[in-house]
Coordinates of all heavy atoms in Angstrom, one line a residue:
N158 N -11.3 27.0 -26.1 CA -12.1 27.0 -24.9 C -12.3 25.5 -24.4 O -12.5 25.3 -23.2 CB -13.5 27.6 -25.3 CG -13.4 29.1 -25.4 OD1 -12.6 29.8 -24.8 ND2 -14.3 29.6 -26.3
F159 N -12.3 24.6 -25.3 CA -12.4 23.2 -24.9 C -11.3 22.8 -24.0 O -11.5 22.1 -23.0 CB -12.4 22.3 -26.2 CG -12.6 20.8 -25.9 CD1 -13.9 20.3 -25.9 CD2 -11.5 20.0 -25.7 CE1 -14.1 18.9 -25.6 CE2 -11.7 18.6 -25.5 CZ -13.0 18.1 -25.5
I160 N -10.0 23.2 -24.4 CA -8.9 22.9 -23.6 C -9.0 23.5 -22.2 O -8.8 22.8 -21.1 CB -7.6 23.3 -24.2 CG1 -7.3 22.6 -25.5 CG2 -6.4 23.3 -23.3 CD1 -6.2 23.2 -26.4
T161 N -9.3 24.8 -22.1 CA -9.4 25.5 -20.9 C -10.5 24.9 -20.0 O -10.2 24.7 -18.8 CB -9.8 27.0 -21.1 OG1 -8.7 27.6 -21.9 CG2 -9.9 27.7 -19.8
N162 N -11.6 24.6 -20.5 CA -12.7 24.0 -19.7 C -12.4 22.7 -19.2 O -12.6 22.4 -18.0 CB -14.0 23.9 -20.6 CG -15.2 23.5 -19.8 OD1 -15.7 24.2 -18.9 ND2 -15.7 22.3 -20.1
M163 N -11.8 21.8 -20.0 CA -11.5 20.4 -19.5 C -10.4 20.5 -18.5 O -10.5 19.7 -17.5 CB -11.0 19.6 -20.7 CG -10.8 18.1 -20.3 SD -10.9 16.9 -21.7 CE -12.6 17.0 -22.1
I164 N -9.4 21.3 -18.6 CA -8.3 21.4 -17.6 C -8.9 21.9 -16.3 O -8.6 21.4 -15.2 CB -7.2 22.3 -18.1 CG1 -6.4 21.5 -19.2 CG2 -6.3 22.7 -16.9 CD1 -5.3 22.3 -19.8
N165 N -9.8 23.0 -16.4 CA -10.4 23.5 -15.2 C -11.3 22.5 -14.4 O -11.2 22.4 -13.2 CB -11.2 24.8 -15.5 CG -10.3 26.0 -15.8 OD1 -9.2 26.0 -15.5 ND2 -10.9 27.0 -16.5
V166 N -12.1 21.8 -15.2 CA -13.0 20.9 -14.6 C -12.3 19.6 -14.1 O -12.6 19.2 -12.9 CB -14.2 20.5 -15.6 CG1 -15.1 19.4 -15.0 CG2 -15.0 21.7 -16.0
N167 N -11.5 19.0 -14.9 CA -10.9 17.7 -14.6 C -9.7 17.8 -13.7 O -9.4 16.8 -13.0 CB -10.6 17.0 -15.8 CG -11.8 16.5 -16.6 OD1 -12.9 16.8 -16.2 ND2 -11.6 15.9 -17.7
M168 N -8.9 18.9 -13.8 CA -7.6 19.0 -13.0 C -7.6 20.0 -12.0 O -7.4 19.8 -10.8 CB -6.5 19.2 -14.0 CG -6.3 18.1 -15.0 SD -5.2 18.5 -16.4 CE -3.7 18.9 -15.5
T169 N -8.0 21.3 -12.3 CA -7.9 22.4 -11.4 C -8.8 22.1 -10.2 O -8.5 22.4 -9.0 CB -8.2 23.7 -12.0 OG1 -7.3 23.9 -13.1 CG2 -8.1 24.9 -11.1
S170 N -10.0 21.6 -10.5 CA -11.0 21.3 -9.4 C -10.4 20.4 -8.4 O -10.6 20.6 -7.2 CB -12.3 20.7 -10.0 OG -12.1 19.4 -10.5
V171 N -9.7 19.3 -8.8 CA -9.2 18.4 -7.9 C -8.1 19.0 -7.0 O -8.1 18.8 -5.7 CB -8.5 17.2 -8.6 CG1 -7.8 16.2 -7.7 CG2 -9.6 16.4 -9.4
C172 N -7.2 19.8 -7.6 CA -6.2 20.5 -6.8 C -6.8 21.5 -5.8 O -6.4 21.6 -4.6 CB -5.2 21.2 -7.7 SG -4.3 20.1 -8.8
Q173 N -7.7 22.3 -6.3 CA -8.3 23.4 -5.5 C -9.2 22.8 -4.3 O -9.1 23.3 -3.2 CB -9.1 24.4 -6.3 CG -8.2 25.2 -7.3 CD -7.5 26.3 -6.6 OE1 -7.4 26.3 -5.3 NE2 -6.9 27.2 -7.3
M174 N -10.0 21.9 -4.6 CA -10.9 21.3 -3.6 C -10.0 20.6 -2.5 O -10.3 20.7 -1.3 CB -11.9 20.3 -4.2 CG -13.0 21.0 -5.0 SD -14.0 22.1 -4.1 CE -14.6 21.1 -2.8
T175 N -9.0 19.9 -3.0 CA -8.0 19.3 -2.0 C -7.4 20.4 -1.2 O -7.2 20.2 0.1 CB -7.0 18.5 -2.7 OG1 -7.7 17.5 -3.5 CG2 -6.0 17.8 -1.8
R176 N -7.0 21.5 -1.8 CA -6.4 22.6 -1.0 C -7.3 23.1 0.1 O -6.9 23.5 1.2 CB -6.0 23.7 -2.0 CG -5.5 25.0 -1.3 CD -5.3 26.1 -2.3 NE -6.5 26.6 -2.9 CZ -7.3 27.5 -2.4 NH1 -7.0 28.0 -1.2 NH2 -8.4 28.0 -3.0
L177 N -8.6 23.2 -0.2 CA -9.6 23.7 0.7 C -9.9 22.7 1.9 O -10.1 23.2 3.0 CB -10.9 24.0 0.0 CG -10.8 25.1 -1.0 CD1 -12.2 25.3 -1.7 CD2 -10.3 26.4 -0.4
V178 N -9.9 21.4 1.6 CA -10.3 20.5 2.6 C -9.2 19.8 3.3 O -9.3 19.4 4.5 CB -11.2 19.4 1.9 CG1 -11.6 18.2 2.8 CG2 -12.5 20.1 1.3
L179 N -8.1 19.5 2.7 CA -7.0 18.7 3.3 C -6.5 19.3 4.6 O -6.2 18.6 5.5 CB -5.9 18.5 2.3 CG -4.7 17.6 2.7 CD1 -5.2 16.2 3.1 CD2 -3.7 17.5 1.6
P180 N -6.3 20.6 4.7 CA -5.7 21.2 5.9 C -6.5 20.8 7.2 O -5.9 20.4 8.2 CB -5.7 22.7 5.7 CG -5.6 22.8 4.2 CD -6.4 21.7 3.7
R181 N -7.8 20.8 7.1 CA -8.6 20.5 8.3 C -8.6 19.0 8.6 O -8.7 18.6 9.8 CB -10.0 21.1 8.2 CG -10.8 20.5 7.1 CD -12.1 21.3 6.9 NE -11.9 22.5 6.1 CZ -12.8 23.4 5.9 NH1 -14.1 23.2 6.3 NH2 -12.6 24.5 5.2
M182 N -8.4 18.2 7.6 CA -8.2 16.8 7.8 C -6.9 16.5 8.5 O -6.8 15.7 9.4 CB -8.3 16.0 6.5 CG -9.7 15.9 5.9 SD -9.7 14.9 4.3 CE -11.4 14.9 3.9
A183 N -5.9 17.2 8.0 CA -4.5 17.0 8.5 C -4.5 17.4 10.0 O -3.8 16.8 10.8 CB -3.5 17.8 7.7
N184 N -5.2 18.5 10.3 CA -5.3 19.0 11.7 C -5.9 17.9 12.7 O -5.5 17.8 13.8 CB -6.0 20.3 11.8 CG -5.3 21.4 11.2 OD1 -4.1 21.4 11.1 ND2 -6.0 22.5 10.8
R185 N -6.9 17.1 12.1 CA -7.5 16.1 12.9 C -6.9 14.7 12.8 O -7.3 13.8 13.4 CB -9.0 16.1 12.6 CG -9.8 17.3 12.9 CD -11.3 17.2 12.6 NE -11.5 17.1 11.2 CZ -12.0 16.1 10.6 NH1 -12.2 14.9 11.2 NH2 -12.2 16.1 9.3
S186 N -5.9 14.6 11.9 CA -5.2 13.4 11.6 C -6.2 12.3 11.1 O -6.0 11.1 11.4 CB -4.4 12.9 12.8 OG -3.4 13.8 13.1
K187 N -7.2 12.6 10.4 CA -8.1 11.6 9.8 C -9.0 12.3 8.7 O -9.2 13.5 8.7 CB -9.0 11.0 10.8 CG -9.9 11.9 11.6 CD -10.8 11.2 12.6 CE -11.6 12.1 13.5 NZ -12.5 11.3 14.4
G188 N -9.3 11.5 7.7 CA -10.1 12.0 6.6 C -9.8 11.1 5.4 O -8.8 10.4 5.3
V189 N -10.7 11.1 4.4 CA -10.6 10.4 3.2 C -10.9 11.3 2.0 O -11.9 12.0 2.0 CB -11.6 9.2 3.1 CG1 -11.6 8.5 1.8 CG2 -11.2 8.1 4.2
I190 N -10.0 11.3 1.0 CA -10.3 12.0 -0.3 C -10.3 11.0 -1.4 O -9.3 10.2 -1.6 CB -9.2 13.1 -0.5 CG1 -9.2 14.1 0.6 CG2 -9.4 13.7 -1.9 CD1 -8.1 15.2 0.5
L191 N -11.4 10.9 -2.1 CA -11.5 10.0 -3.2 C -11.5 10.8 -4.5 O -12.4 11.7 -4.7 CB -12.8 9.2 -3.2 CG -13.1 8.5 -1.9 CD1 -14.4 7.8 -1.9 CD2 -12.0 7.4 -1.6
N192 N -10.5 10.6 -5.3 CA -10.3 11.4 -6.6 C -10.7 10.5 -7.7 O -10.0 9.5 -8.0 CB -8.9 11.9 -6.7 CG -8.5 12.9 -5.7 OD1 -9.4 13.7 -5.3 ND2 -7.3 13.0 -5.3
I193 N -11.8 10.8 -8.4 CA -12.4 10.0 -9.4 C -11.6 10.3 -10.7 O -11.9 11.3 -11.4 CB -13.9 10.1 -9.6 CG1 -14.6 10.1 -8.3 CG2 -14.4 9.1 -10.6 CD1 -14.3 8.8 -7.4

Side-chain angles (χ1 to χ4, degrees):
N158 289 328
F159 183 89
I160 292 170
T161 300
N162 185 66
M163 186 161 289
I164 289 175
N165 286 343
V166 175
N167 291 1
M168 295 169 58
T169 303
S170 68
V171 175
C172 296
Q173 292 284 15
M174 290 301 301
T175 301
R176 175 184 66 85
L177 296 179
V178 172
L179 183 58
R181 62 190 79 182
M182 289 182 174
N184 288 339
R185 293 184 292 112
S186 296
K187 60 181 177 179
V189 171
I190 298 177
L191 306 179
N192 292 329
I193 312 304

